[in-house]
Amino acid sequence: MKTDDGDSLDDLCLDAAEHGGPIVWLTGAGISAESGVPTFRGEDGYWTVGSKNYRAQDLATSSALAEMPEEVWGWYLYRRGVCRGAKPNLAHQALFDMERAAPDRFLIATQNVDGLHLRAGSSRERTYEIHGNVDFMRFGDGDPLPIPDAVPFDWPKGRTLGDAERAQMTNDAGVLARPHVLFFDECYSERLYRFESSLLAAQRCAMLVIVGTTGQTNLPIQMAEAAFHAGAPLIVINPEPNPLSDAVERTGQGAFLCGTAGEHVPRLVDMLKPALASEASTI
Ligand code: OAD
């Protein structure tokens, strides 16, 4: 059901408010596109353009890290610079606003490693970074630690890790840290990526809002299926149709808002806030 008229979206919001479960926001690279961070599979996407010397996907593996740590770190420090140069946009800010209005009915599960939700003010407690964060590193499976500020942010594309930076990112045992991002040849875990918590939230949600993703990775698809099978409406926000919006249009279980995150996320938040507030006042 493509809802150009607000009514049916209003009804979905009122039903979700009554349901009592969390509104879960599953976000992808598209929510940060208006902040100037490239997506992955778009025209100027990271996977489309690649790094200077390699197919970007070839750098996003633990085997590549073992073989060529200087190149892999060079790639992630370049992306860290791009993300740090970006600012949260209207959609990120609207979600911060939504969390403040109804914290107990709110959760973000983001595939983005850009840290823009947290920089918009969203809480770490209700923001699951399911693919990690490019501002963090860790020693093996240890706890994520911020990459030292001494490692420069304006990292040109193609520059590899030098001795000075390596010294900043090596522990007393002589181990070089690794980026705190999920590599293609790795599995999700609860401790590092909130795997089980994200799935559980999708199973219990009153509504799953899917913003700016092609749904190419495992956990997001499992979350969409879990919410769908639990009978929750899926709201897909994307300027382009994709398998998730097709499913919504085919089944009518939710809505496809065809447009940008900047356009539709603030609008949806403005519809949900009063619905949740009036529901809360009846309890
Ligand atoms: P993609 O690049 O696959 O998809 C980005 C989506 O955002 C596309 O569907 C676009 O149509 C949409 N989009 C573009 N501009 C938008 C805007 N202004 N507002 C809303 N949507 C917009 O990126 P992801 O789906 O996030 O994983 O990719 C998922 C994962 O694949 C990434 O987290 C990364 C990648 O491999 C890992 O690295 C583990």
Side-chain angles (χ1 to χ4, degrees), residues 95-160:
L95 292 187
F96 170 51
D97 190 26
M98 182 76 248
E99 181 180 4
R100 274 192 311 193
D104 303 336
R105 306 285 309 272
F106 180 89
L107 187 80
I108 297 174
T110 185
Q111 299 170 82
N112 302 342
V113 296
D114 57 32
L116 287 174
H117 284 300
L118 298 175
R119 283 169 49 204
S122 292
S123 71
R124 202 166 271 292
E125 179 200 352
R126 295 189 190 86
T127 305
Y128 296 167
E129 295 181 305
I130 62 173
H131 290 165
N133 184 315
V134 79
D135 272 330
F136 287 76
M137 62 182 201
R138 52 190 161 86
F139 295 103
D141 277 346
D143 290 339
L145 305 163
I147 295 173
D149 285 352
V151 178
F153 289 104
D154 56 348
W155 193 275
K157 194 173 188 176
R159 178 178 164 189
T160 56

Side-chain angles (χ1 to χ4, degrees), residues 24-267:
V24 176
W25 302 78
L26 172 58
T27 68
I31 200 169
S32 297
E34 292 153 84
S35 296
V37 180
T39 64
F40 289 88
R41 297 169 184 85
E43 214 176 292
D44 65 346
Y46 283 127
W47 296 163
T48 314
V49 176
S51 86
K52 196 158 179 211
N53 310 321
Y54 297 88
R55 256 175 21 103
Q57 299 93 314
D58 300 337
L59 289 173
T61 62
S62 52
S63 50
L65 183 71
E67 282 154 32
M68 47 183 174
E70 293 78 14
E71 288 281 354
V72 171
W73 261 119
W75 168 241
Y76 283 99
L77 291 174
Y78 160 68
R79 290 184 50 195
R80 169 177 169 254
V82 170
C83 297
R84 192 52 77 95
K87 292 194 172 34
N89 60 49
L90 290 178
H92 297 110
Q93 284 149 13
L95 292 187
F96 170 51
D97 190 26
M98 182 76 248
E99 181 180 4
R100 274 192 311 193
D104 303 336
R105 306 285 309 272
F106 180 89
L107 187 80
I108 297 174
T110 185
Q111 299 170 82
N112 302 342
V113 296
D114 57 32
L116 287 174
H117 284 300
L118 298 175
R119 283 169 49 204
S122 292
S123 71
R124 202 166 271 292
E125 179 200 352
R126 295 189 190 86
T127 305
Y128 296 167
E129 295 181 305
I130 62 173
H131 290 165
N133 184 315
V134 79
D135 272 330
F136 287 76
M137 62 182 201
R138 52 190 161 86
F139 295 103
D141 277 346
D143 290 339
L145 305 163
I147 295 173
D149 285 352
V151 178
F153 289 104
D154 56 348
W155 193 275
K157 194 173 188 176
R159 178 178 164 189
T160 56
L161 190 71
D163 294 344
E165 298 85 23
R166 177 186 270 271
Q168 296 279 343
M169 301 156 77
T170 299
N171 67 10
D172 300 343
V175 176
L176 173 64
R178 54 153 294 158
H180 174 51
V181 294
L182 179 72
F183 287 145
F184 279 114
D185 54 355
E186 291 182 327
C187 297
Y188 293 98
S189 70
E190 173 61 20
R191 195 174 68 80
L192 292 170
Y193 303 112
R194 307 308 301 270
F195 179 73
E196 276 87 16
S197 304
S198 303
L199 265 184
L200 193 64
Q203 284 154 4
R204 295 181 41 241
C205 76
M207 175 184 272
L208 181 67
V209 188
I210 304 171
V211 186
T213 184
T214 44
Q216 303 274 328
T217 47
N218 182 318
L219 177 52
I221 288 297
Q222 288 193 47
M223 288 179 70
E225 285 167 356
F228 187 83
H229 294 308
L234 270 55
I235 311 294
V236 177
I237 296 176
N238 201 308
E240 305 202 7
N242 60 34
L244 294 160
S245 63
D246 295 347
V248 164
E249 296 211 303
R250 206 172 44 251
T251 61
Q253 192 175 323
F256 172 34
L257 307 180
C258 187
T260 66
E263 198 184 334
H264 287 295
V265 172
R267 178 176 161 234

